Amino acid sequence: MERLPDDLKEKLNHLLSYLDELEQWLGAPQESIEKRGLQRIVERMFQLIVECAADAGDIWLDAGGFPAGESVRGVFERLREQSLIDEEEILRFAEYVSLRNRIVHDYEKISGAMLLKTAPRLLSDCRLLGKRLLGDAE
């Protein structure tokens, strides 16, 4: 890709901002994550990060002339096809999308402990994906 589309740059800037914000929330004392208000904030940040990463991926795919994903999960599958995500990462992204779906659609209660366990890896994986989308490979 010769020139990064402006909307991809903008979407990745949003993603980095969301990642930074979630990281700040995760730095709060563990007992505060148990409080419903903080848990809702972390849930929302998790949702925003997954959706923003998928949107950025779709923009990257479109700019490169590749087929877009047919769903949030499908975007990450398409990125795997383009070698931006490996086999281990795609399993984690599937977990992130599943958790995002549980948050958005309120399928079942989500524990603060589950969020605390999953969110740090989400931060790491999405930061790496952002770099790859920008062409800043490891």
Side-chain angles (χ1 to χ4, degrees):
M1 190 177 324
E2 290 183 23
R3 182 182 167 306
L4 289 174
D6 290 337
D7 51 352
L8 175 57
K9 290 180 195 174
E10 182 179 352
K11 187 56 73 172
L12 289 171
N13 284 333
H14 285 276
L15 177 59
L16 290 174
S17 174
Y18 295 145
L19 291 167
D20 289 341
E21 186 175 342
L22 176 58
E23 195 167 47
Q24 290 172 1
W25 282 111
L26 292 174
Q30 184 165 356
E31 61 273 8
S32 67
I33 195 77
E34 305 281 323
K35 295 180 183 171
R36 200 65 181 145
L38 183 55
Q39 181 168 338
R40 286 290 189 211
I41 291 167
V42 174
E43 288 173 356
R44 176 66 173 146
M45 294 306 308
F46 197 100
Q47 174 194 351
L48 285 170
I49 288 166
V50 171
E51 291 176 5
C52 191
D55 288 347
D58 247 349
I59 293 167
W60 185 91
L61 289 165
D62 183 59
F66 304 111
E70 296 177 9
S71 63
V72 174
R73 184 171 298 195
V75 172
F76 298 113
E77 288 289 339
R78 295 287 189 192
L79 293 173
R80 183 182 53 79
E81 292 169 8
Q82 299 306 316
S83 300
L84 268 84
I85 296 174
D86 67 26
E87 293 300 320
E88 288 181 26
E89 292 166 327
I90 195 63
L91 295 174
R92 291 194 303 270
F93 275 95
E95 179 185 352
Y96 304 149
V97 171
S98 178
L99 186 52
R100 172 245 175 226
N101 290 344
R102 291 172 55 202
I103 291 167
V104 170
H105 302 293
D106 204 23
Y107 293 141
E108 61 190 77
K109 184 177 170 138
I110 297 169
S111 73
M114 179 189 302
L115 287 171
L116 285 174
K117 178 183 172 200
T118 308
R121 191 65 205 188
L122 173 72
L123 287 167
S124 174
D125 285 339
C126 286
R127 286 188 193 284
L128 181 57
L129 177 60
K131 288 179 181 179
R132 289 175 181 162
L133 290 171
L134 286 171
D136 298 337
E138 303 163 60

